[in-house]
């Protein structure tokens, strides 16, 4: 991970370390077992301290989606889709969406590589073999 990315938010540093290994991580509470994302130093469900980081499958369902048509940064040519994906474990992630994704689509996470920054998850339509796994 780049020092700049880690320095930005030490609470989420394990997420970015996982991203560099191609592993999607979310937090899970020691006390009640709830999963959560974004990273926090406590459990949103029960208030227990120091949730652990666990690997998740990356499978989920598109909860909301929008097509961006106005450029925000130079390396993201429009149009592109972003949305909230509800992971099978429960948390929702804001991420880029691949072609054909719409609300209710079954999707899986893939990693989008970026120059000088950790990769970010981007969700694509789950193939039949992914859905059966
Ligand atoms: Zn909890």
């Amino acid at each position: 991970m780049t020092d700049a990315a880690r320095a930005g938010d030490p609470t989420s540093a394990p997420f970015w370390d996982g991203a560099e290994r191609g592993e999607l991580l979310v937090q899970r509470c020691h006390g009640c077992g709830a999963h959560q994302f974004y990273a926090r130093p406590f459990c949103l469900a029960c208030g227990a301290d120091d949730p652990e980081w666990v690997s998740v499958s990356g499978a989920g369902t598109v909860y909301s989606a929008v097509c961006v048509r106005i450029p925000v940064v130079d390396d993201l040519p429009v149009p592109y889709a972003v949305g909230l994906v509800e992971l099978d474990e429960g948390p929702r992630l804001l991420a880029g969406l691949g072609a054909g994704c719409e609300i209710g689509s079954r999707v899986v996470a893939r990693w989008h590589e970026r120059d000088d920054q950790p990769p970010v998850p981007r969700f694509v339509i789950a193939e039949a073999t992914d859905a059966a796994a």
Side-chain angles (χ1 to χ4, degrees), residues 60-117:
T61 303
V62 177
Y63 178 81
S64 70
V66 64
C67 181
V68 178
R69 298 183 188 280
I70 299 172
V72 178
V73 293
D74 292 339
D75 62 346
L76 282 176
V78 294
Y80 59 91
V82 294
L84 277 176
V85 172
E86 187 169 284
L87 297 175
D88 288 352
E89 293 82 1
R92 293 179 184 155
L93 276 71
L94 181 65
L97 300 175
C101 292
E102 56 188 38
I103 294 172
S105 296
R106 288 291 298 164
V107 291
V108 293
R110 297 292 182 253
W111 292 99
H112 175 67
E113 300 293 332
R114 303 182 297 169
D115 293 336
D116 301 322
Q117 296 183 64

Side-chain angles (χ1 to χ4, degrees), residues 29 31-34 43 45-48:
C29 177
C32 72
C43 172
C46 75

